[in-house]
Amino acid sequence: MASPTEDLSHIPLETRSIITTESSDGIPFPASPIPHTHRTWARTFSSRPEVYLQPSTLPQITKITNLARRCRRRLVVVGSGHSPSNLTCTSSWMVNLDKYSRVLSIDPTTGICVLQSGIRLWQLSEALNKEGLALPSMGSINEQSIAGAISTGTHGSSLKHGLISEGVESLKIVLANGEEVFCSPTERSDLFRAALLSLGAIGIVTEVTFRAVKAFSLAWEQSIDSDSKLFAEWESKLWKQSEFVRVWWFPYMRRAVVWKADKVDENDLDTGVVKNYDPPTSFQDSKIGYFIYHNLLALARWFPRITPWVEWFVFGLQYGFGNGEMTTTRAVQPSYKAFLLNCLYSQFVNEWAIPLAKGPEALQRLAAWLHRLQPGDEGYVEHKIPFSAEGLWVHSPVEVRVSDTTVKTSGERGNRPWLDITPEDGPALYLNATMYRPYHKDPSYNATERYYEAFEWLMRDLGGKPHWAKTFAVTPDEFASKQWYGENFHQFRKVREEVDPLGMFVGPWQRKFLLGEPAEEKDRLALEEVGFEQKPAKEGGYVVTGHQNVVVA
């Protein structure tokens, strides 16, 4: 990192001059001395920020915020970039908090830990494990920062748990005015509820106070069966059989993989009655399996009709060609290992939450549409989707997970995010439609757009809302409707406007999905970034370019 002006020659002269005049305070301006290219994990989007910053202290974060305001620049905070959307892209100033990632304190008795916000979940898991603690629930990956996981509504799969943010006791945030403020369910509750799922539009989360739980291992097993059995057990058994349950559904084969896990009794581990052990290396986790599947997906870009055959072949090598007990795989692992899943290849992800009870209807209607079933065909239901599936072949699986945010959070308790996508009166089902991008190349036959158009129509018809960090096409008016967020959406926007009236944390993504386009250009916020232009990148995906608003507020 550099502070001398000559090391920042890639930064515009006017901005460089302001930075230089503020260098006498002894606080380094932690800007990269070379141009930085930001890419999403899936390489769906990339951008070249004007300044790339990695602060390691709170004074540096405060200085960055104050200088951005003086230079009339937008700020974007980024971690792993796992969202496949352009949410984290910018041509303005980008702040990465990987060097602001210390554990400030851990109380092994209460589980209360105080964390700098840039700590990645894998780093946090390691630190907690040393103290005999663990995260109560996790998603399928651990590369996100704790702030990123909170700010995008990350969740696991359990009816006894909600979002990862339900463990947050309080937050500290640097706002656009450069002030670090404290918020919790009882202090500045409105700000707390906005920051728990902020989408980068509120400020820079700097400190997280989180309640961990006693470390635990999970005894899990995974088995395969027909989706008809899945539907038959949906209400009575499927989601209640273990504390953690998740499903992968394969529509062309009409089969499902069910993964369930329960905590191992601590005494059994201590006495050796139960021992941790890993499962056998699966086909997809092996080097040769990874390579074969990747190349079959690439081949299917040119010959889409082989997609169901690829699914059958890879599914059989990964899980087995039969159903029932003969397909079962078991393991006992520490929770921070058991929760994780290999995401394999670059991918688009479109995920929505619907009421849990509507799951069988959703999957049966989607299957009927994909198979183009007619009355009298086995498995036929009236899908009602007003788009044609002719010539369309999609990837598998559809990931199926659950949560219940009503167990530990609510508006009355002041700890439910304003933008929580799950129902306020019961459990949610998450359906995650994935389309792979082999070797970072999009499907060549517009499959993703056609599939997601139909998928989103179905999700809307079933009362769903999209996961904020994934791919979707929704307008702010739809989000603000009474059928969706209603007053909660207005409350979020009210808090955002109060703490960032100039739009330092507003870019084209926030404008498109949260604020809506202004009636006139003069109504744009003074510091917002505008006008993302997208051009195909040589390595796949799109290069995104924006520019600062030139309208003076």
Side-chain angles (χ1 to χ4, degrees), residues 291-335:
F291 177 80
I292 289 174
Y293 190 21
H294 205 175
N295 282 278
L296 286 173
L297 288 170
L299 183 64
R301 288 186 69 246
W302 302 106
F303 305 100
R305 289 183 177 275
I306 73 169
T307 301
W309 176 85
V310 170
E311 176 183 318
W312 170 83
F313 178 70
V314 173
F315 183 98
L317 294 178
Q318 173 74 3
Y319 302 109
F321 291 93
N323 285 340
E325 180 64 27
M326 62 181 292
T327 66
T328 300
T329 300
R330 295 180 175 86
V332 178
Q333 295 176 298
S335 61

Side-chain angles (χ1 to χ4, degrees), residues 9-215:
S9 57
H10 60 287
I11 298 175
L13 180 60
E14 182 181 357
T15 302
R16 221 185 317 154
S17 299
I18 295 175
I19 293 171
T20 303
T21 60
E22 297 291 335
S23 63
S24 61
D25 60 4
I27 301 173
F29 184 69
S32 172
I34 59 174
H36 175 81
T37 298
H38 165 70
R39 293 182 177 87
T40 60
W41 171 81
R43 292 181 178 257
T44 44
F45 294 98
S46 63
S47 63
R48 181 69 68 88
E50 178 184 278
V51 182
Y52 181 73
L53 301 128
Q54 286 191 306
S56 57
T57 67
L58 178 60
Q60 288 179 1
I61 295 174
T62 301
K63 179 172 184 172
I64 289 168
T65 307
N66 290 329
L67 280 177
R69 190 172 60 254
R70 283 200 57 193
C71 295
R72 303 182 64 78
R73 292 296 188 267
R74 176 199 179 199
L75 286 179
V76 175
V77 183
V78 65
S80 63
H82 249 271
S83 171
S85 74
N86 58 20
L87 171 63
T88 56
C89 289
T90 185
S91 294
S92 193
W93 289 16
M94 178 173 286
V95 180
N96 172 272
L97 298 178
D98 282 351
K99 295 185 177 181
Y100 196 74
S101 57
R102 293 191 299 117
V103 175
L104 302 178
S105 66
I106 296 180
D107 186 333
T109 304
T110 64
I112 295 295
C113 48
V114 182
L115 317 163
Q116 290 183 333
S117 58
I119 190 169
R120 301 295 181 98
L121 294 185
W122 66 267
Q123 294 172 315
L124 176 57
S125 293
E126 288 183 356
L128 291 176
N129 188 57
K130 291 178 181 178
E131 300 294 336
L133 298 172
L135 295 169
S137 178
M138 281 181 62
S140 299
I141 57 175
N142 61 1
E143 292 296 325
Q144 312 104 308
S145 67
I146 185 66
I150 292 167
S151 298
T152 54
T154 299
H155 60 90
S157 188
S158 171
L159 289 182
K160 295 184 179 181
H161 301 274
L163 305 181
I164 299 298
S165 63
E166 71 182 10
V168 176
E169 300 283 312
S170 65
L171 297 169
K172 288 184 180 179
I173 311 167
V174 170
L175 302 178
N177 62 5
E179 177 187 359
E180 185 185 52
V181 299
F182 173 88
C183 59
S184 71
T186 57
E187 189 171 336
R188 300 195 70 165
S189 175
D190 282 358
L191 176 61
F192 184 68
R193 295 183 66 185
L196 282 177
L197 209 165
S198 69
L199 301 168
I202 300 297
I204 302 177
V205 174
T206 52
E207 188 175 291
V208 180
T209 299
F210 192 91
R211 185 180 294 275
V213 299
K214 199 166 186 179

Side-chain angles (χ1 to χ4, degrees), residues 344-390:
L344 295 175
Y345 319 111
S346 171
Q347 56 196 251
F348 290 114
V349 184
N350 196 327
E351 179 176 327
W352 288 57
I354 63 175
L356 177 61
K358 295 186 177 182
E361 178 186 353
L363 297 178
Q364 288 168 336
R365 288 172 65 181
L366 186 59
W369 179 75
L370 287 171
H371 285 277
R372 300 176 282 283
L373 298 182
Q374 300 298 318
D377 291 342
E378 183 179 356
Y380 170 79
V381 297
E382 188 179 0
H383 60 72
K384 301 180 183 177
I385 298 173
F387 307 105
S388 173
E390 288 297 326

Side-chain angles (χ1 to χ4, degrees), residues 66 84 102 162 191 237 281 327 331 335 339 460 493 499 513:
N66 290 329
R102 293 191 299 117
L191 176 61
K237 175 183 176 183
T281 300
T327 66
S335 61
F339 285 130
R460 284 182 173 90
R493 293 201 293 197
V499 298
F513 296 113

